[in-house]
Amino acid sequence: MSRGIVQEVPLYAPAAASDGLALTGCADTLAQSLAACYQCGKCTAGCPMADAMDLMPNQIFRLLQLGALERVLRSTAIWQCVSCYTCTTRCPQSVDCVGIIDQMRQLALARGMVSNRQGRVVVFQQTFLDNIRRHGRLHELSQIAHFKLRGYLKDFSLRELFRGAALGPQLFQRRKLHFRGSKVKDRAVIQRIYARCSRGFQPRGPSIPGHQPGSQVAESRAQRTGLEAPATLGAKGTAHD
Amino acid sequence: MIELGYYPGCALHGSSNDYEQSLRACLERLNVRLTEVDDWICCGASAAHSLNSMLAVALPARNLGLAERDQLHEVLAPCPLCSMELHKANHALAANEALRARVSEIVEVPVSGNVKVLNLIQVFERAGLERIRRAARKSIAHLQAACYYGCLLTRPPATVQFDDAERPQSMEAIVEAAGAKTVVWNFATECCGAGMTLASEKVVLELSQRILRNALEHGANCLVVACPMCHVNLDMKQQDTREQFGIEQVLPVYYLSDLVGMALGLKEAQLGTDRHFVPARNGR
Ligand code: SF4
Ligand code: SF4
């Protein structure tokens, strides 16, 4: 279980081999993309989240060009990004801005560099993926409950814990809240898909208290069903296409 | 009769079930028949592509594979986040044979990457603007709509290949065919930040208030969306937003299918507009 999720990426985006950009942890295509950035700032100009970021999108790309990976991995900006694709759409150099930011998020998680301040966003996304692993489709009630609980374990904010609770009855009254949720018949297949995609898929470090690594459950289940993850999966460099 | 596959996605089977109700009622009137992809799973949304690039391909790919298995060559995905994830997986798979083979193995169903993914606007276009114009039997001329595309309907253009990323007009064409007026405004493609609603509400309310204000300033008396998350943000959260930023006027938020449906003579209870948080303006 030592491999991080980032090592899975080469499956469809070959890892950079030797040049300095490999330092960024970006795959080849992303590294090329990153090299093309000429700092016009258009990505930042249109970014709806820029006000809430500690690094502007164009700064992220410049720092990566300069090899200041850790500064980027520890930023709140990569977690504030809502993946709206405004930057990718407008970049005159066709830099895959969101692709790069996605890789930074995965790398930050794999290296345990997610600070408490950014934690809520990460916890939200983790509880989301975890919920899908279990149910196949998002079960909103249990996801919110998990998210709130884990969020609370991080900052002990009672205000956050109960914020929005008043909406519950209103949603219920509008038939928008479901206790049972929409169900998938074949849920075992989802666990197998997760296991195959997620060797070592788990947050590291003390920054995510109370996290139950999902993949271990999934993997042991996959083993029980006799369906081992394909051996080549996750092995770095095997999937250069 | 137009036959299409249908991928509802989690939101439409959850708290945005008013969207599903509305588009089903409306498309039925327009003779579009939807066949739901059997046993579909979540597309992974932004959580998957943020945290695990493999899952971000595999989850949508499983659904594309299921659609293919059921001979559904064209699939309506009314949630733009789902449709974008499906498009992204399609592109990645179509371009790379080895990935196709690997992913087919992972998701336990053959995937070619050739299923055509459609958004709701495209399905209305397929049904035909002329047909909507002719079928309209109730006037909705009192509505001055600000058509709000949000971030993902038109972006990134190479992936979704739909309309113009900076100045889309396809929604306006449908709304006008249904008999309402549209306004020219500035925030049609600005992101509302919906992905952050739970994690950092403050930022999201700020983004929403800019959208509401700009629509009002340009003379809109309603917003039209084709995205469940935009609707949650702008409808369910609207009271919070208005209180926090001192906006007095209310602005009903319709799904595109609500507007067309009203023109086709469907009632509030049939479309589900009676379940919105901001009361609809149907009757006026
Ligand atoms: S828009 Fe593109 S080229 Fe300009 S600063 Fe951003 S990433 Fe670099
Ligand atoms: S995708 Fe992220 S970085 Fe790019 S404009 Fe949107 S929020 Fe900003």
Side-chain angles (χ1 to χ4, degrees):
Chain A
M1 300 297 283
S2 63
R3 276 190 297 261
I5 45 179
V6 179
Q7 270 84 4
E8 309 289 337
V9 176
L11 189 60
Y12 60 99
S18 56
D19 62 11
L21 286 165
L23 263 181
T24 62
C26 284
D28 253 355
T29 43
L30 290 179
Q32 276 166 18
S33 182
L34 178 61
C37 169
Y38 55 25
Q39 288 298 300
C40 67
K42 206 167 175 181
C43 47
T44 300
C47 175
M49 302 305 283
D51 284 352
M53 289 175 169
D54 57 346
L55 287 177
M56 298 300 109
N58 70 302
Q59 292 177 319
I60 293 178
F61 307 132
R62 188 70 185 130
L63 283 166
L64 290 176
Q65 286 176 336
L66 296 171
L69 179 61
E70 192 169 332
R71 174 78 184 83
V72 173
L73 295 185
R74 292 196 186 280
S75 71
T76 57
I78 55 174
W79 298 104
Q80 289 297 321
C81 163
V82 288
S83 308
C84 72
Y85 286 89
T86 309
C87 47
T88 303
T89 300
R90 293 183 181 166
C91 173
Q93 287 290 85
S94 305
V95 174
D96 182 359
C97 305
V98 180
I100 294 170
I101 293 173
D102 276 342
Q103 295 308 302
M104 291 306 122
R105 292 191 263 239
Q106 299 182 21
L107 203 54
L109 252 189
R111 297 197 180 170
M113 287 186 176
V114 184
S115 83
N116 248 332
R117 219 147 51 88
Q118 307 144 58
R120 279 197 167 261
V121 183
V122 186
V123 168
F124 175 75
Q125 294 184 336
Q126 286 177 321
T127 48
F128 186 100
L129 275 192
D130 209 44
N131 198 276
I132 303 309
R133 186 179 59 76
R134 266 183 254 204
H135 304 283
R137 297 174 189 167
L138 185 68
H139 186 258
E140 289 164 330
L141 259 185
S142 65
Q143 197 241 340
I144 290 175
H146 273 130
F147 166 70
K148 292 260 175 195
L149 198 64
R150 282 198 205 161
Y152 179 70
L153 290 175
K154 289 181 81 59
D155 53 22
F156 300 102
S157 159
L158 277 171
R159 208 176 130 258
E160 280 297 316
L161 189 64
F162 292 109
R163 185 171 61 77
L167 273 176
Q170 297 196 43
L171 281 165
F172 189 67
Q173 190 195 351
R174 287 175 169 79
R175 304 194 304 281
K176 280 167 163 270
L177 200 64
H178 310 274
F179 292 102
R180 191 164 169 276
S182 180
K183 284 268 186 284
V184 174
K185 285 173 270 171
D186 187 357
R187 268 176 284 169
V189 73
I190 300 151
Q191 318 257 343
R192 294 196 293 273
I193 293 173
Y194 265 67
R196 291 172 193 137
C197 291
S198 322
R199 303 211 118 187
F201 171 45
Q202 65 198 2
R204 312 269 162 89
S207 57
I208 316 289
H211 180 82
Q212 283 288 320
S215 60
Q216 282 174 0
V217 183
E219 286 207 350
S220 60
R221 197 170 297 209
Q223 273 152 19
R224 261 187 279 131
T225 54
L227 255 155
E228 246 296 356
T232 47
L233 249 186
K236 204 170 174 184
T238 48
H240 283 208
D241 304 312
Chain B
M1 169 77 77
I2 300 172
E3 306 248 3
L4 294 174
Y6 174 53
Y7 176 80
C10 304
L12 274 72
H13 273 211
S15 55
S16 299
N17 54 7
D18 48 350
Y19 187 19
E20 169 159 81
Q21 181 184 348
S22 159
L23 71 88
R24 275 190 182 278
C26 187
L27 291 180
E28 197 183 294
R29 280 282 169 101
L30 292 171
N31 249 333
V32 179
R33 215 180 79 185
L34 301 177
T35 307
E36 191 167 317
V37 175
D38 186 39
D39 218 28
W40 57 270
I41 60 172
C42 172
C43 71
S46 17
H49 74 75
S50 293
L51 302 187
N52 183 325
S53 302
M54 240 349 270
L55 271 181
V57 178
L59 294 176
R62 164 95 184 153
N63 296 299
L64 293 168
L66 294 177
E68 257 179 80
R69 183 197 62 191
D70 298 346
Q71 309 280 326
L72 302 169
H73 304 297
E74 293 183 303
V75 173
L76 162 65
C79 166
L81 187 46
C82 301
S83 60
M84 198 213 26
E85 293 304 325
L86 293 168
H87 276 302
K88 276 200 298 189
N90 253 341
H91 283 289
L93 292 163
N96 185 335
E97 200 188 323
L99 179 68
R100 243 175 1 251
R102 180 69 49 73
V103 168
S104 299
E105 215 174 284
I106 290 177
V107 303
E108 299 180 24
V109 56
V111 201
S112 70
N114 290 328
V115 172
K116 190 158 186 220
V117 178
L118 301 169
N119 64 38
L120 183 62
I121 299 172
Q122 288 168 310
V123 171
F124 279 126
E125 285 174 346
R126 183 75 65 84
L129 298 192
E130 197 39 52
R131 174 180 199 142
I132 295 175
R133 220 168 273 131
R134 271 188 282 117
R137 55 168 84 149
K138 186 158 177 280
S139 168
I140 52 167
H142 60 291
L143 294 176
Q144 301 259 11
C147 295
Y148 178 60
Y149 296 78
C151 51
L152 297 178
L153 263 176
T154 59
R155 291 200 287 258
T159 305
V160 298
Q161 300 183 353
F162 170 69
D163 208 338
D164 185 278
E166 300 293 348
R167 193 171 180 276
Q169 288 289 299
S170 50
M171 213 183 322
E172 276 84 351
I174 294 164
V175 167
E176 283 165 13
K181 299 187 187 67
T182 58
V183 305
V184 178
W185 67 312
N186 309 108
F187 275 66
T189 61
E190 291 296 317
C191 173
C192 71
M196 286 280 171
T197 306
L198 272 176
S200 92
E201 189 180 49
K202 200 168 136 260
V203 187
V204 177
L205 294 190
E206 164 65 28
L207 295 179
S208 306
Q209 71 103 6
R210 291 184 203 166
I211 293 162
L212 293 177
R213 251 186 226 289
N214 194 267
L216 288 167
E217 277 163 12
H218 287 82
N221 62 11
C222 68
L223 278 172
V224 184
V225 302
C227 171
M229 289 158 300
C230 295
H231 197 267
V232 166
N233 239 6
L234 297 166
D235 176 65
M236 185 177 97
K237 295 264 165 198
Q238 189 176 122
Q239 197 178 343
D240 283 359
T241 312
R242 284 194 294 106
E243 276 168 14
Q244 193 161 328
F245 293 92
I247 303 173
E248 282 180 10
Q249 231 172 313
V250 292
L251 201 57
V253 188
Y254 299 113
Y255 296 111
L256 180 58
S257 45
D258 292 339
L259 246 160
V260 177
M262 282 183 229
L264 297 177
L266 291 164
K267 301 270 176 298
E268 278 202 40
Q270 286 170 296
L271 290 166
T273 47
D274 55 340
R275 300 197 282 131
H276 294 184
F277 279 73
V278 180
R281 277 181 209 272
N282 289 19
R284 261 172 264 163

